[in-house]
Amino acid sequence: MMMQLKQFFLSCLRKIVPLDCPLCGGKPGDGTANTLCRDCLAQIEFIQPPFCPGCGGTLDGIFEMCTDCMKEEARRPWKNAFTVFRMRGAGRELVHTFKYQSRPDLARALASLALLRCGEAIRQESFDLIVPVPLHWWRKMRRSYNQAEEFARAFGAVANIPVKSILKRKKRTGQQSRLTRKQRISNLKGAFFINRSTNLKSCAILLVDDVMTTGSTLASAAETLLKAGAAKVCILTLARRQ
């Protein structure tokens, strides 16, 4: 109990007071709350634009999509994709700290990184709305927050785009990271829904999640938004396993 109270206190404090770099304990890069130090920033493998429209990862050839996406049987349902960094090394550690160590306060620093790395490309799409990928209510209750929602709200604040949690998750799918691609797709059928009263007609939506692996979760969520009337969907993720 004391450890939980300590984590809660530090999480609140980090929102207003500059503390040490969350990865190494070094001096924050620009002196603001939740900022990574310059050494840790240098260790993160940022994705360099232009982004692969299929996954937001690095284009590794002369084609319009990366090698991984070229192997996909069908085009994914979104128009474009943007990813901030690769899911390895310091980037992986940062995501795991944000996601599993009760650090929702890191959302603000991650949003700043996303705006710096992907902001220009995202502005060109002119989005009406940001929608986070939801957690099942049981998992959100156990974790106390949805990391995708925290990141989405922080990014919406710096990018000046409204954020609405209109997607709902009605199916508890378990840990997708432990499943094969075929199992992921089967597991996510009918996982999401939107209230019938929600009007998405002609709406350009930026769908936000923390990590993209196969894209099955994002594809299911994007299809739900498109069926509800969205004009287009693009995706933004913090990290890409590529």
Side-chain angles (χ1 to χ4, degrees):
M1 178 62 72
M2 289 300 297
M3 182 59 70
Q4 291 177 330
L5 288 173
K6 180 181 178 181
Q7 289 292 339
F8 176 76
F9 173 74
L10 288 175
S11 180
C12 294
L13 187 63
R14 287 184 179 106
K15 293 181 179 181
I16 55 174
V17 179
L19 296 183
D20 296 339
C21 170
L23 292 183
C24 72
K27 183 179 179 181
D30 61 7
T32 59
N34 312 323
T35 304
L36 301 177
C37 70
R38 291 185 175 86
D39 288 342
C40 286
L41 280 173
Q43 294 176 43
I44 295 175
E45 296 183 54
F46 290 104
I47 302 295
Q48 301 298 326
F51 303 96
C52 169
C55 68
T58 301
L59 287 175
D60 52 2
I62 62 173
F63 300 103
E64 67 170 6
M65 289 190 177
C66 70
T67 304
D68 288 350
C69 291
M70 293 283 286
K71 296 175 183 176
E72 292 292 320
E73 295 180 4
R75 175 85 185 235
R76 291 174 172 127
W78 50 80
K79 179 190 174 188
N80 270 321
F82 316 100
T83 301
V84 185
F85 48 77
R86 291 178 181 267
M87 185 64 172
R88 61 190 187 196
R92 182 177 182 274
E93 185 179 350
L94 182 57
V95 169
H96 279 214
T97 301
F98 175 47
K99 189 172 181 177
Y100 300 119
Q101 297 182 23
S102 299
R103 292 294 306 275
D105 52 281
L106 285 176
R108 187 162 49 176
L110 291 166
S112 296
L113 288 180
L115 187 69
L116 180 65
R117 308 300 303 191
C118 310
E120 184 176 349
I122 287 173
R123 279 189 287 268
Q124 291 175 4
E125 292 287 346
S126 187
F127 293 107
D128 301 305
L129 194 64
I130 292 176
V131 175
V133 171
L135 284 178
H136 186 268
W137 67 268
W138 175 250
R139 184 176 295 173
K140 185 176 181 180
M141 185 176 70
R142 291 183 63 186
R143 189 175 292 169
S144 79
Y145 64 97
N146 174 7
Q147 69 282 352
E149 186 174 24
E150 295 290 333
F151 171 53
R153 293 194 181 283
F155 184 77
V158 295
N160 198 28
I161 304 172
V163 180
K164 290 187 179 180
S165 298
I166 57 174
L167 269 177
K168 307 299 178 183
R169 197 164 195 148
K170 61 182 177 181
K171 188 176 179 182
R172 190 178 173 192
T173 55
Q175 288 287 345
Q176 287 288 102
S177 60
R178 299 174 183 174
L179 304 178
T180 65
R181 176 172 177 75
K182 189 174 181 179
Q183 288 172 327
R184 286 170 185 247
I185 294 172
S186 176
N187 202 31
L188 285 159
K189 287 183 178 179
F192 302 102
F193 74 97
I194 296 174
N195 291 331
R196 292 182 180 180
S197 59
T198 303
N199 183 13
L200 296 181
K201 187 176 180 181
S202 303
C203 196
I205 294 176
L206 181 63
L207 180 64
V208 171
D209 205 358
D210 56 343
V211 180
M212 177 176 174
T213 304
T214 65
S216 301
T217 299
L218 285 156
S220 181
E223 287 168 357
T224 302
L225 292 169
L226 290 168
K227 287 178 182 177
K232 72 172 179 181
V233 175
C234 295
I235 64 168
L236 168 65
T237 54
L238 280 173
R240 168 76 170 113
R241 289 190 176 97
Q242 187 179 23

